[in-house]
Amino acid sequence: MLHTDIPTRREIETLAEWTGPWSVSIYLPTEAATANPEANRIAFGNQVREAVGLVTDADSRAAIAEQLDDLAEDADFWRFQSHTLVVHVSPQRMWTFRIPNRLGAAVTVSDRFLLKPLLRAVTFPQAAFVLALAEGSARLVEVTPDRPAEDVRVPEMPAGAVDFAGESVDDRAPKRRSTDSERKKVLARQYARAVDRALRDILSGRDTPLILAAAEPIDAIYRSVATYAELLDDGIPGNPEHLSDQDLADKARHILDGHYAAQLADLRQLFDKRRSEARATADLADIARASTFGMVQTLLVDIDTAVPGTVAPDTGAIEFGPASETEIPGTLDEIARRALLSGARVLAVRKADIPDEASAAAILRYSM
């Protein structure tokens, strides 16, 4: 089983805000299940030696080495890995994330952390909740990118429409409706509202997609009363009582793939519209200036491309530099960092998903 520590938006922002000498970033591809569990730790040790060797200040080097050595010696930590280990460390503190995305090895030592690869883990996280709703039962299933699907305990979740109605049939029955079909429809709507109320404590404040697994008419009835903004239009049809949690998760991941593809298609369409209004650009120099002055609303950045160089702190002008694996994070990473700190939505994607197949594309808050 994979073990993950996917960063939250706030954790990403904290890392973006961090600037200071001797900020070290290490990206290590790992294997969760391997015949040689020490292989991950040995590879990490090699990266640690490389990073520490680039820190020329003696006190900072000692502080960083101590933290990284402690992590290398933590046997329990190395027993539980995902596909990539990300370590950000400064003389003052360290952050670690085990993420399910397969990222390339990297070591940087600079005045800021290398963040662009890590953004991939939060761009399309492949996580969702599935509400399996039937007249006879209701359950919430959590879907994650690496762990088996599992039920989520929801206090006050109705056990089913029949049990819900049976609590007080006379009180719940419509007063001026006489037919069985009308009565059944009203009770089903009340049942759906009760399910929605029960979910609020679990889903409140989240932006995780919710996928509904239900047959008609309960599907349409629940959608008519649902209050969670991230309920997806696409759902899993049929009676979910015949599906295991893992069956639901497999179908949910397929729906998520379509959801993310639709988001990218919508962004490309919006980019074309905004470009005709002088509010979108795929020119890296323009994007660097826009990110510096807080003009970027949405940024698409190529996760695979490295553009060595620096971005001027005051003007956003790019000074391109020679390629280096250990010198600085690079211009794309710095552009993404500045966009994040100005409240922009930043998505780390593949080049094919970016307009003009550029290294970056930005939708702007207003024209330049």
Side-chain angles (χ1 to χ4, degrees):
M1 180 187 299
L2 301 181
H3 294 264
T4 62
D5 314 294
I6 297 175
T8 64
R9 166 82 187 202
R10 181 58 197 141
E11 286 173 321
I12 292 283
E13 290 173 348
T14 297
L15 292 168
E17 290 167 354
W18 185 277
T19 56
W22 315 119
S23 299
V24 175
S25 296
I26 296 175
Y27 285 75
L28 172 70
T30 53
E31 293 297 334
T34 174
N36 181 13
E38 286 297 298
N40 293 328
R41 185 152 48 168
I42 292 170
F44 180 70
N46 293 334
Q47 288 183 308
V48 167
R49 283 191 292 276
E50 179 183 358
V52 170
L54 293 167
V55 180
T56 58
D57 177 73
D59 291 340
S60 298
R61 182 171 60 246
I64 289 171
E66 180 180 6
Q67 296 176 78
L68 292 174
D69 289 344
D70 285 346
L71 183 64
E73 294 171 5
D74 187 342
D76 284 339
F77 177 83
W78 291 101
R79 285 175 54 213
F80 305 105
Q81 292 300 313
S82 188
H83 290 318
T84 305
L85 172 64
V86 182
V87 179
H88 296 302
V89 60
S90 72
Q92 293 79 26
R93 64 164 299 181
M94 180 169 64
W95 294 261
T96 64
F97 302 101
R98 294 167 293 187
I99 62 175
N101 308 75
R102 294 191 181 276
L103 304 175
V107 174
T108 64
V109 179
S110 182
D111 61 351
R112 62 194 186 278
F113 296 124
L114 177 66
L115 295 181
K116 183 164 67 78
L118 186 58
L119 290 173
R120 184 66 179 178
V122 296
T123 295
F124 297 131
Q126 288 291 328
F129 289 105
V130 177
L131 173 60
L133 188 61
E135 289 190 7
S137 63
R139 73 187 195 272
L140 186 68
V141 176
E142 185 175 15
V143 178
T144 58
D146 57 295
R147 298 191 305 273
E150 59 183 351
D151 283 344
V152 178
R153 182 180 176 275
V154 181
E156 300 184 12
M157 176 75 91
V162 174
D163 290 341
F164 175 77
E167 293 175 6
S168 178
V169 172
D170 292 337
D171 290 342
R172 296 182 188 276
K175 302 301 182 184
R176 290 181 293 276
R177 305 186 193 193
S178 56
T179 69
D180 288 343
S181 62
E182 288 175 332
R183 179 175 178 274
K184 184 175 181 181
K185 186 180 298 184
V186 171
L187 290 176
R189 189 171 292 112
Q190 291 173 348
Y191 166 57
R193 286 197 188 98
V195 171
D196 183 68
R197 285 195 301 271
L199 291 179
R200 288 178 192 173
D201 287 342
I202 303 295
L203 301 180
S204 179
R206 294 178 181 267
D207 58 5
T208 306
L210 175 65
I211 296 170
L212 179 61
E216 294 295 354
I218 196 67
D219 182 290
I221 290 172
Y222 181 79
R223 291 180 184 278
S224 72
V225 302
T227 58
Y228 185 56
E230 302 302 323
L231 175 64
L232 300 189
D233 291 337
D234 289 337
I236 301 171
N239 187 347
E241 293 177 323
H242 304 311
L243 298 173
S244 68
D245 288 355
Q246 195 56 49
D247 290 335
L248 292 171
D250 293 340
K251 293 177 182 294
R253 291 189 179 101
H254 180 73
I255 291 172
L256 285 176
D257 288 341
H259 173 61
Y260 296 142
Q263 283 187 322
L264 287 171
D266 289 345
L267 282 173
R268 287 192 293 270
Q269 185 176 10
L270 179 61
F271 179 90
D272 291 339
K273 181 176 186 296
R274 291 289 184 259
R275 181 150 61 178
S276 69
E277 302 165 350
R279 285 184 52 198
T281 179
D283 182 272
L284 195 60
D286 288 341
I287 296 172
R289 288 193 294 272
S291 67
T292 300
F293 295 107
M295 297 171 59
V296 176
Q297 183 178 59
T298 303
L299 176 67
L300 298 171
V301 61
D302 180 12
I303 190 174
D304 298 316
T305 298
V307 182
T310 59
V311 182
D314 298 327
T315 65
I318 295 177
E319 181 177 344
F320 295 101
S324 172
E325 295 182 357
T326 59
E327 206 171 275
I328 57 174
T331 59
L332 287 179
D333 203 81
E334 178 60 13
I335 288 169
R337 188 183 76 85
R338 294 185 188 189
L340 276 169
L341 293 179
S342 68
R345 182 187 182 194
V346 179
L347 294 88
V349 297
R350 306 295 181 187
K351 183 179 286 290
D353 297 321
I354 300 177
D356 303 338
E357 293 197 2
S359 58
I363 298 171
L364 308 179
R365 294 187 170 103
Y366 46 89
S367 61
M368 297 185 69

